[in-house]
């Protein structure tokens, strides 16, 4: 028999800071989904704009990442010319999402381009939103800022 699995909740401060916030009972399901998607996008931007204290190798090998490991390791040494580096970059981003964004599952990352302006790379993320009984496939386009701290 299939079991119902539950995802995470929208963070409290995201719910409270929404302009014109109304109780969930007063919102349509579509409006709540848009709010959740915006909250996830904001968290993903924060994640990609932050640098972890760990090296790439440590980041990928650490069994359980903590808030002290938040962000992405330094990726500036990777090259767009090498498919191995593009694959490594994608693995790092997937690992970060699995560790730090519990509302998303089954993330896949496709590196779109390296070195565009200040960005180390641009990528497309596809993942499944798991929130209560909701299952929705989401796609985000993000960049990893080379000037991030």
């Amino acid at each position: 028999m299939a079991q119902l699995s539950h995802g995470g909740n929208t963070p409290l401060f995201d719910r409270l800071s929404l302009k014109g916030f109304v109780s969930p009972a007063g919102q349509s399901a579509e409006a709540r989904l848009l709010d959740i998607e915006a909250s996830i996008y904001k968290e993903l931007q924060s994640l990609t704009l932050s640098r972890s204290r760990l090296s790439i190798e440590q980041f990928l090998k650490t069994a359980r990442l903590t808030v002290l490991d938040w962000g992405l390791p330094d990726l500036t040494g990777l090259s767009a010319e090498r498919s191995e580096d593009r694959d490594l970059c994608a693995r790092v981003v997937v690992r970060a999402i699995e560790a730090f964004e519990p509302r998303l599952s089954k993330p896949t990352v496709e590196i779109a381009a390296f070195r565009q302006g200040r960005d180390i790379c641009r990528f497309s993320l596809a993942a499944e939103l798991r929130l209560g009984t909701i299952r929705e496939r989401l796609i985000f386009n993000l960049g990893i800022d080379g000037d991030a701290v």
Side-chain angles (χ1 to χ4, degrees):
M1 176 177 233
Q3 291 186 347
L4 186 62
S5 62
H6 295 279
N9 293 318
T10 305
L12 173 63
F13 291 112
D14 284 345
R15 290 194 316 260
L16 294 176
S17 67
L18 294 173
K19 291 183 178 180
F21 179 78
V22 294
S23 69
Q27 279 184 310
S28 70
E30 185 176 323
R32 283 192 305 249
L33 186 59
L34 289 174
D35 289 344
I36 292 165
E37 188 173 348
S39 169
I40 291 171
Y41 183 74
K42 187 170 121 182
E43 287 298 315
L44 291 173
Q45 282 184 315
S46 176
L47 180 62
T48 60
L49 290 174
S50 301
R51 290 298 160 259
S52 174
R53 64 189 176 94
L54 302 175
S55 68
I56 293 173
E57 184 177 311
Q58 291 170 322
F59 191 81
L60 291 173
K61 288 186 177 181
T62 300
R64 188 174 173 107
L65 296 171
T66 69
V67 293
L68 297 176
D69 308 318
W70 171 262
L72 298 175
D74 183 11
L75 302 170
T76 55
L78 301 182
S79 169
E81 307 300 317
R82 298 184 43 177
S83 64
E84 297 87 9
D85 285 354
R86 291 190 303 272
D87 293 343
L88 181 59
C89 184
R91 284 192 357 247
V92 165
V93 172
V94 166
R95 174 76 169 110
I97 291 163
E98 290 172 341
F100 300 120
E101 184 46 81
R103 296 172 289 181
L104 297 179
S105 64
K106 304 176 188 170
T108 57
V109 170
E110 183 178 321
I111 303 298
F114 266 77
R115 299 280 179 212
Q116 288 186 334
R118 290 177 27 201
D119 288 341
I120 291 172
C121 76
R122 305 272 323 150
F123 65 92
S124 175
L125 162 70
E128 184 178 281
L129 170 65
R130 296 183 59 198
L131 190 67
T133 58
I134 297 172
R135 298 289 180 273
E136 183 80 25
R137 193 75 175 158
L138 301 177
I139 296 174
F140 300 96
N141 293 303
L142 296 154
I144 299 173
D145 190 335
D147 295 333
V149 229

